[in-house]
Amino acid sequence: MSTTAPDPLATLGALPGVADAVDSVRKAVDRVYGHRVMRRRSSEVTAEAALRGARGSAALSGADWNLEEVRRRTDFSGDDESQVIGAALRLTAEAGQLLSIWRQSPLRVLARLHLVAAGGAAPDDAVGRPRLAGEPVDEPLIEAPLPGADEVAGRLEGLSGLILAGSAAPALVTAAVVHGELLALRPFGSYNGLVARTAERIVLIGSGLDPKSICPAEVGHAERGRAAYVAAFEGYLSGTPDGMAAWIAHCGRAVELGVRESTAVCEALQRGAA
């Protein structure tokens, strides 16, 4: 008699409240994809969503700049905040180029994301690889205990295995788990939050939920605020059903707020104001 291995992501999808979050996200995404502007000017909406998503992700990492300042600036090589903004913009631009590699080698994509984020700002031997024992981590937003290097390596392999095995779970669930696990591990010496949110974006695009990348969850995470983000993440860290469901619902609401942002962009384009 053959047995089928359990699907842990699908199990999370069955948690109370998660199905409602998934359904709400799907309806919101369908509405913005059905906007008449998307028939002719979807590339403009995608570009604007990328900019706004990068700004939102950078805000959570401590560089909360006005959107127009991000749009105007061309040099991000100055102080720490400028470097965070530059890293976020580079990551958003890179995300769509890595979909095929993600399906074959998630760990290779994560290494590439850290390399892109660092942009030469870190020592060469520390870029693009998980941290070694004793190496420091610069991630001021997340103050949870830091897993050791051996635990990081093992859990990264486990996460990669889940992605490669595939799952019947909704895209929102997979994206939230990838995001939460990378925040929990903080596998690199720097830019872990930016990398985690970019990985969430890659899952949402690659799953087919948001193939044109017009629903920037980073906007929603930033709009809900750093305190709410950290509180929801603590639910993920708890590993309890209620905590995990709360984190997934938080990520779902972030996507919906990203949809609202892009809907506003569509409306502005329709009026000829953008």
Side-chain angles (χ1 to χ4, degrees):
M1 182 176 68
S2 64
T3 58
T4 302
D7 181 344
L9 294 176
T11 300
L12 292 176
L15 290 174
V18 171
D20 288 342
V22 168
D23 185 56
S24 183
V25 166
R26 167 51 70 189
K27 288 177 178 176
V29 172
D30 286 348
R31 282 195 298 271
V32 72
Y33 269 84
H35 197 288
R36 61 185 301 177
V37 165
M38 289 295 297
R39 300 174 199 161
R40 299 173 288 109
R41 305 178 70 176
S42 63
S43 61
E44 294 173 67
V45 182
T46 295
E48 190 65 20
L51 182 70
R52 296 178 186 220
R55 194 218 71 84
S57 191
L60 287 172
S61 288
D64 192 358
W65 287 18
N66 179 279
L67 179 63
E68 294 311 313
E69 176 65 12
V70 177
R71 195 191 306 278
R72 180 190 67 80
R73 188 76 68 92
T74 57
D75 182 6
F76 300 97
S77 62
D79 59 17
D80 289 346
E81 286 195 6
S82 297
Q83 291 178 24
V84 169
I85 294 286
L89 289 168
R90 290 191 298 273
L91 285 171
T92 303
E94 187 79 4
Q97 311 303 314
L98 298 172
L99 296 177
S100 61
I101 303 173
W102 176 260
R103 297 185 186 104
Q104 300 170 9
S105 180
L107 298 185
R108 183 178 162 198
V109 168
L110 294 176
R112 173 64 184 169
L113 291 177
H114 187 243
L115 183 68
V116 168
D124 289 347
D125 64 352
V127 173
R129 63 156 174 78
R131 55 187 167 81
L132 303 177
E135 290 184 335
V137 173
D138 178 17
E139 190 60 49
L141 179 60
I142 305 300
E143 298 179 353
L146 196 65
D150 289 344
E151 181 180 350
V152 168
R155 286 172 64 176
L156 282 176
E157 287 292 342
L159 182 63
S160 176
L162 280 178
I163 295 165
L164 293 174
S167 173
L172 173 64
V173 173
T174 303
V177 168
V178 168
H179 183 172
E181 189 69 356
L182 292 174
L183 277 187
L185 295 179
R186 283 148 287 164
F188 303 109
S190 59
Y191 299 115
N192 288 289
L194 295 179
V195 168
R197 291 184 288 275
T198 305
E200 178 186 49
R201 173 184 282 265
I202 289 172
V203 173
L204 294 173
I205 299 170
S207 67
L209 177 65
D210 181 22
K212 294 183 182 294
S213 192
I214 62 167
C215 307
E218 304 96 324
V219 168
H221 288 305
E223 183 173 332
R224 301 201 72 185
R226 299 177 88 190
Y229 184 74
V230 171
F233 173 61
E234 287 173 355
Y236 179 87
L237 285 178
S238 75
T240 64
D242 286 349
M244 295 295 288
W247 170 248
I248 294 167
H250 178 91
C251 292
R253 182 57 181 154
V255 174
E256 290 183 67
L257 291 170
V259 167
R260 187 178 71 181
E261 188 86 355
S262 287
T263 301
V265 170
C266 287
E267 294 294 330
L269 288 170
Q270 185 168 284
R271 293 191 306 269

